[in-house]
Amino acid sequence: MKSPRRGAPRRVFLQQAALAGGAAALPAQTTGSTAPTGAAAPPAAAAPRIQFPRVFSGRKLAMIAFPLGGAGAGSISLGGRGQLRDWEIFNRPDKGNSPAYAFPAIWAQAGSGKPVVRVLESRILPPYEGSSGLGSRNAPGLPRIAAATFTGEYPLAGIDFRDARLPVKVTLEAFSPFIPLDAEESGLPAAVLRYRLRNATNQQVKVSIAWSIENPAGSPEQASARGPGADTRVNEIRVNGNLTGLVMHNPGLGNEDPLFGDFTLAALVPEGTKTSMLRGWPQGRWWNSPMLFWDDFSADGELGPEPEARNQVGALCLSCTLGPGKETAFPFLLAWRFPNRTPKRCGWSAPKGEADTVIGNHYCQRFASSWDAAAYLGAHLERLEETTRKFVSALRGSTLPPAIKEAASANLSTLATTTCFRTADGEFHGFEGVNDHAGCCFGNCTHVWNYETVTNSLFPTLARSLRKASFGYSLDDAGAIHFRQLLPDGKQRSGFAAADGQMGQIIKVYDDWRLSGDTAWLRSLWPRVKKALEFAWVPGGWDADRDGVLEGAQHNTYDVEFYGPNPQCGIYYLGALRAGEEMAREVGDTASAAEYRRLFEQGSKWIDGKLFTGEYYVQQIRGVSRGLIAPSLLSTMGSENTEKPAYQVGQGCLVDQLVGQYLAETAGLGPLVDSRHVRRTLESIYRYNYKHNLYDHDTVQRTFALNDEPALVICDYAKAERPKIPFPYYGEVMTGFEYTAAVHMLYAGMYAQGVECIGNIRARYDGERRNPWDEAECGHHYARAMAAWSGILALSGFLYHGARRTLAIYPNSPAPLFTCFWSTASAWGTFTMDRRTPETRLTLALLYGRLRLLEISFPGKGGRSSAALNGNALAHDSAPRGKGVSIRMREDIELKEGDKLYLAL
């Protein structure tokens, strides 16, 4: 009996307008196996109307959890209603965790009228069911604000609260500093919650906001287990200039306790504002404590006097009087310091006997207490916020499709989640994603982290840290990169090497060097990079016969080994050979460069000639005897029979078969295989893998998209018989793979299709179906989804080479007037290209850092040219270059913050 076929001609349903947030329904299209071989891809449907910044209200607030916190420093999430949720600052993922009481309250009185008192969150959304209804945590029965609108533009979140009974208009601005190229200032263990208040009446209004938080340093359950009177948590009042607040700690915990540390609730008190505090609510049985607190605050909008007998819920209140039409702002600061990260607690695998070893947190080396972190943030808030907003404005002002900006921005939040952390030694580490209470898939997994372009584009020090792990102890004596790092590092390696992970890391080294121009760093790393590349040639290895084609057992991101030539691993290898060639030439290793070039050309020709079907690339399944496979190449997750292996792609159309070419595009390495074949393959992925809905899509695997949602599936067998046992995940939908294919479409000129696919992803994350700041794969906040940033790289066409001091800007956008954010390892800013007239004008604005330039090329015709820096003419020469013109300065120039370079052809 033949294996079942997948991808038979399918009925295409109209996409529901509601999914796209108001988009018109998409026209029906016929796709699938009825398309003739070699036919052009179907035209793109209308892309979903994704806004940027993204705005949510009503039921679409339900799933929102916007991470607040520094990159690698833990996070507390802001919910769509204004509530704090998912307190993940205790050295592990902790979905659903929060103190029993943690909420703001507002009190407002117009003239001599009756005060209005509310929990400063919008009303709780259904469902309301539970064993005790909604219970008593956070007092769900207290009145709340009538409605709210949430605006998300990572790293900035805003909430507009609406309540007709309140005499003041209230908005919230929430953020943590996020400054590209500055991992230190972007890694603060702190967040800002700034409430803006405006008197909307013609009377004076007295208004107060009080934040209450139960001391989170050690749980009350721990105290209860230790017996009566064992709760040793302490809340202390601190004042330093205009910084006032409570430091919450627990001197009863040992220094090695996982919850040892402290938390700060503070405010930057504006002039003319009164403060009042409670080190604890009144102590009481049953629900007396929240009741007595609410009575106290409701009486006059202030706190106190403080009771002698109190519990562990501290409160900080700011109060002022506003004249008609007047405004003020109450900036609250949250900060934390919990130093005792261990592999066991966070879910990271460790060498034998090391699971409980404290590996620590980098931010704890910088700040001795949470109060110190809050004080630093308060003292430098103006500068930190200004630079953060400069980045946000640069991205917002880019004339990219909103879906591209929104996808890129939203997935930056992964850096602030528990997917990422920095150990006490400053090194950066990442899970693939996180489960609710532990990390999921440890080790900076190379074959996952290869897809993202955020670290090398925005935080090069973090990218180099990942490279240090791969080419440090994880690289064994034979040259195999053991693709999951154990912590503490340097004591034991994880099991085996992944072909795609290893080749991708080599490309990443090239890209890190290209963006920085740091050839000294490249020279220091080159011997180990060379060893990793040439590991493919060892007996029983991936390219033991040195013909430029990967064969044998190739472990990969699908958690199995592919046997025989295949495009996913094979084109990755071509990219690594090209990167190796460029790096070898730079360091003077000309013999290696020549050999890598030979293998590249031979392998590229073979893959085009043997694996391309006329529509896409396929795998030639070739089993191999287990005894002929090199050590470090086999997992226990793939086929037990290596001679007749299961879990293969075969003749299927794989969504990321061109991932090596995708990375080559982002790194500027050029075509790895025939560009015409690449375009045809992307058209086939759009034709076969793209499902306009999933009503008729059958999969028994994990489900990340369903029903009316359009998506790109991992592998489609419309044109071929599916293997009886195909590789795992073949029928799934995962956003990181979708972004990779969609971004590649943008690079290949399939603008409408690429934008459509990215818009479809983000339409699924609408706040009601899913959290817009949590794209899951194997765990929440999955690292691969940071490939969304590559959409900006693709459409900008911005390619800088630091060692050569050259810049090429060839946008892949049809807009005649185009503005876009750009970044290198030393600077970032915006550029504007105006092609509305025969004269092409380019303005390069530097907003942060410094940038050295010698030559700039961009679209245009030969003839007269001009160049000026801040209005001062620059001596230069111009000449045709490819599809445009190159302007070469007579001597190097260096742009610094605030500079503008003007060029015209």
Side-chain angles (χ1 to χ4, degrees):
M1 181 176 179
K2 290 186 176 181
S3 300
R5 288 173 57 88
R6 294 184 51 83
R10 55 194 181 274
R11 187 181 304 119
V12 179
F13 291 83
L14 296 182
Q15 188 178 26
Q16 294 183 5
L19 175 64
L26 303 183
Q29 297 181 29
T30 300
T31 62
S33 61
T34 55
T37 301
R49 293 176 185 168
I50 301 296
Q51 293 176 289
F52 188 75
R54 196 94 175 262
V55 180
F56 307 85
S57 60
R59 295 186 62 87
K60 295 187 184 298
L61 301 174
M63 297 296 292
I64 289 175
F66 185 100
L68 299 172
S75 64
I76 300 171
S77 290
L78 178 68
R81 300 184 295 104
Q83 80 278 27
L84 294 184
R85 54 180 293 183
D86 299 340
W87 288 56
E88 299 180 283
I89 58 177
F90 307 109
N91 298 313
R92 73 171 188 183
D94 225 350
K95 297 299 177 190
N97 176 51
S98 67
Y101 294 98
F103 63 83
I106 186 169
W107 183 100
Q109 181 183 37
S112 58
K114 183 180 178 180
V116 179
V117 192
R118 299 279 189 270
V119 172
L120 191 43
E121 304 167 356
S122 68
R123 291 171 183 159
I124 295 172
L125 297 167
Y128 303 138
E129 191 174 60
S131 61
S132 299
L134 291 179
S136 61
R137 293 175 67 92
N138 264 333
L142 288 176
R144 282 164 163 77
I145 302 294
T149 299
F150 188 105
T151 302
E153 183 182 17
Y154 192 82
L156 305 180
I159 300 180
D160 180 12
F161 295 101
R162 301 185 303 281
D163 195 316
R165 295 188 61 189
L166 269 180
V168 291
K169 299 293 185 183
V170 188
T171 60
L172 168 63
E173 300 167 352
F175 68 96
S176 296
F178 189 93
I179 301 170
L181 307 188
D182 195 336
E184 298 302 311
E185 300 292 56
S186 301
L188 302 180
V192 178
L193 301 171
R194 181 188 292 120
Y195 295 88
R196 294 194 180 275
L197 306 160
R198 179 172 63 84
N199 183 349
T201 75
N202 57 7
Q203 305 178 71
Q204 279 198 337
V205 172
K206 181 183 177 184
V207 62
S208 304
I209 293 179
W211 251 106
S212 296
I213 294 178
E214 182 182 15
N215 184 325
S219 67
E221 289 79 10
Q222 281 183 319
S224 177
R226 292 169 182 162
D231 193 341
T232 55
R233 292 177 292 169
V234 174
N235 299 334
E236 296 181 354
I237 294 174
R238 296 277 183 90
V239 178
N240 182 6
N242 70 330
L243 181 68
T244 297
L246 296 166
V247 175
M248 303 177 172
H249 62 107
N250 190 342
L253 294 179
N255 289 348
E256 299 298 318
D257 193 287
L259 290 178
F260 174 80
D262 52 89
F263 182 87
T264 291
L265 165 63
L268 296 169
V269 182
E271 187 175 347
T273 298
K274 184 177 181 180
T275 64
S276 54
M277 279 182 281
L278 297 175
R279 287 175 292 172
W281 286 356
Q283 196 171 54
R285 300 174 63 195
W286 293 93
W287 299 288
N288 295 350
S289 288
M291 179 186 69
L292 294 173
F293 159 76
W294 197 251
D295 289 347
D296 176 12
F297 183 61
S298 298
D300 58 3
E302 297 180 19
L303 302 178
E306 185 177 82
E308 289 187 14
R310 56 184 182 267
N311 66 11
Q312 306 298 335
V313 183
L316 169 62
C317 177
L318 302 184
S319 308
C320 73
T321 300
L322 293 176
K326 297 299 182 180
E327 300 181 9
T328 193
F330 289 165
F332 290 86
L333 306 182
L334 308 179
W336 53 89
R337 184 182 186 274
F338 292 92
N340 293 336
R341 174 182 295 276
T342 66
K344 180 178 179 180
R345 179 164 176 79
C346 70
W348 197 280
S349 290
K352 185 177 181 179
E354 300 283 353
D356 292 315
T357 298
V358 174
I359 54 179
N361 289 306
H362 174 63
Y363 75 82
C364 295
Q365 305 304 304
R366 186 174 180 189
F367 300 108
S369 69
S370 60
W371 180 260
D372 287 348
Y376 182 87
L377 176 57
H380 300 278
L381 182 58
E382 182 177 358
R383 171 180 59 83
L384 295 170
E385 182 174 3
E386 179 185 6
T387 314
T388 297
R389 290 186 179 277
K390 189 182 293 185
F391 163 66
V392 171
S393 296
L395 185 55
R396 183 192 304 155
S398 299
T399 52
L400 298 162
I404 302 295
K405 294 188 286 187
E406 201 273 333
S409 168
N411 281 288
L412 292 178
S413 65
T414 297
L415 293 176
T417 70
T418 48
T419 293
C420 306
F421 61 93
R422 296 179 71 185
T423 42
D425 57 7
E427 300 301 337
F428 178 76
H429 307 279
F431 291 99
E432 293 183 26
V434 294
N435 293 323
D436 286 354
H437 302 294
C440 180
C441 305
F442 73 98
N444 322 323
C445 176
T446 56
H447 61 56
V448 168
W449 279 83
N450 279 346
Y451 289 70
E452 64 88 18
T453 52
V454 168
T455 54
N456 52 322
S457 296
L458 299 184
F459 294 105
T461 57
L462 304 186
R464 285 196 184 189
S465 184
L466 293 173
R467 243 54 78 211
K468 181 179 178 181
S470 289
F471 295 95
Y473 186 77
S474 294
L475 183 79
D476 68 21
D477 291 341
I481 297 175
H482 295 246
F483 69 92
R484 294 191 189 276
Q485 179 194 33
L486 301 177
L487 290 176
D489 189 35
K491 298 187 176 185
Q492 182 180 327
R493 296 185 182 93
S494 61
F496 50 94
D500 56 349
Q502 186 139 337
M503 299 308 154
Q505 284 296 292
I506 293 165
I507 299 172
K508 291 285 190 179
V509 172
Y510 170 80
D511 208 26
D512 294 342
W513 166 66
R514 176 188 65 83
L515 285 163
S516 68
D518 189 347
T519 301
W521 172 78
L522 175 63
R523 288 184 186 279
S524 71
L525 207 58
W526 174 245
R528 301 185 71 78
V529 174
K530 179 179 179 179
K531 177 182 283 190
L533 180 52
E534 296 181 4
F535 171 74
W537 309 341
V538 302
W542 299 315
D543 186 19
D545 58 1
R546 292 174 70 163
D547 64 353
V549 180
L550 289 197
E551 299 160 329
Q554 302 154 63
H555 189 81
N556 61 77
T557 198
Y558 296 109
D559 296 327
V560 295
E561 288 76 47
F562 289 165
Y563 289 85
N566 66 87
Q568 197 244 30
C569 296
I571 298 176
Y572 244 136
Y573 180 41
L574 298 180
L577 289 169
R578 276 288 295 117
E581 176 193 354
E582 294 293 328
M583 292 184 285
R585 292 193 192 286
E586 181 66 23
V587 301
D589 188 351
T590 56
S592 292
E595 177 64 2
Y596 300 154
R597 184 70 194 184
R598 180 189 72 80
L599 291 174
F600 163 73
E601 291 179 351
Q602 185 172 322
S604 178
K605 182 178 180 180
W606 193 95
I607 288 175
D608 271 325
K610 301 296 184 180
L611 299 186
F612 187 67
T613 67
E615 288 194 279
Y616 55 88
Y617 294 89
V618 296
Q619 177 192 15
Q620 290 186 5
I621 302 174
R622 297 181 188 174
V624 59
S625 172
R626 183 177 291 270
L628 297 178
I629 300 172
S632 301
L633 296 189
L634 279 178
S635 73
T636 59
M637 301 173 73
S639 179
E640 294 179 356
N641 186 340
T642 64
E643 297 183 34
K644 295 182 179 180
Y647 306 121
Q648 304 299 296
V649 175
Q651 301 295 299
C653 184
L654 184 64
V655 71
D656 70 331
Q657 60 188 279
L658 296 173
V659 60
Q661 183 65 67
Y662 152 81
L663 275 187
E665 297 288 357
T666 65
L669 286 169
L672 305 180
V673 289
D674 191 316
S675 297
R676 296 167 299 176
H677 294 175
V678 168
R679 170 71 184 229
R680 185 63 57 82
T681 297
L682 292 168
E683 290 171 351
S684 296
I685 290 170
Y686 185 81
R687 179 183 302 116
Y688 300 126
N689 300 64
Y690 180 28
K691 315 298 181 184
H692 289 270
N693 59 65
L694 297 169
Y695 291 127
D696 291 338
H697 176 65
D698 56 304
T699 177
V700 297
Q701 299 143 13
R702 300 169 302 180
T703 301
F704 298 103
L706 72 166
N707 295 340
D708 60 344
E709 297 176 329
L712 288 169
V713 300
I714 295 294
C715 192
D716 185 85
Y717 287 95
K719 296 291 291 185
E721 186 173 286
R722 193 202 77 191
K724 182 177 181 180
I725 304 294
F727 69 102
Y729 321 134
Y730 76 94
E732 291 187 355
V733 170
M734 293 184 267
T735 66
F737 294 107
E738 291 183 279
Y739 285 127
T740 300
V743 166
H744 205 166
M745 292 176 193
L746 299 178
Y747 273 114
M750 296 171 62
Y751 179 87
Q753 290 89 343
V755 172
E756 178 192 4
C757 290
I758 291 174
N760 287 338
I761 298 170
R762 293 307 298 165
R764 302 199 296 262
Y765 290 82
D766 65 354
E768 181 177 9
R769 301 180 184 217
R770 300 171 185 84
N771 176 15
W773 290 276
D774 178 7
E775 292 192 15
E777 188 180 312
C778 184
H780 299 283
H781 312 292
Y782 203 74
R784 196 190 325 261
M786 288 191 285
W789 186 259
S790 303
I792 294 175
L793 305 183
L795 291 183
S796 72
F798 184 99
L799 201 65
Y800 175 73
H801 199 301
R804 297 167 189 162
R805 304 172 321 281
T806 60
L807 173 61
I809 304 180
Y810 290 86
N812 290 304
S813 167
L817 179 62
F818 181 69
T819 297
C820 196
F821 174 86
W822 59 265
S823 65
T824 71
S826 64
W828 52 265
T830 62
F831 73 84
T832 298
M833 186 173 292
D834 188 348
R835 292 178 284 180
R836 292 175 295 179
T837 67
E839 179 184 61
T840 299
R841 289 174 288 177
L842 174 66
T843 302
L844 186 73
L846 195 143
L847 302 176
Y848 183 93
R850 291 176 177 269
L851 185 71
R852 293 176 61 208
L853 279 174
L854 178 62
E855 183 178 340
I856 306 99
S857 61
F858 56 100
K861 299 179 180 179
R864 298 197 319 177
S865 61
S866 61
L869 179 61
N870 300 326
N872 300 312
L874 296 170
H876 67 279
D877 301 296
S878 62
R881 171 70 60 84
K883 297 180 180 179
V885 174
S886 167
I887 291 181
R888 187 178 181 88
M889 307 303 164
R890 300 278 173 81
E891 58 184 31
D892 281 13
I893 60 173
E894 183 177 63
L895 279 67
K896 59 184 183 301
E897 188 171 322
D899 283 351
K900 287 188 176 181
L901 178 65
Y902 302 92
L903 304 171
L905 296 173

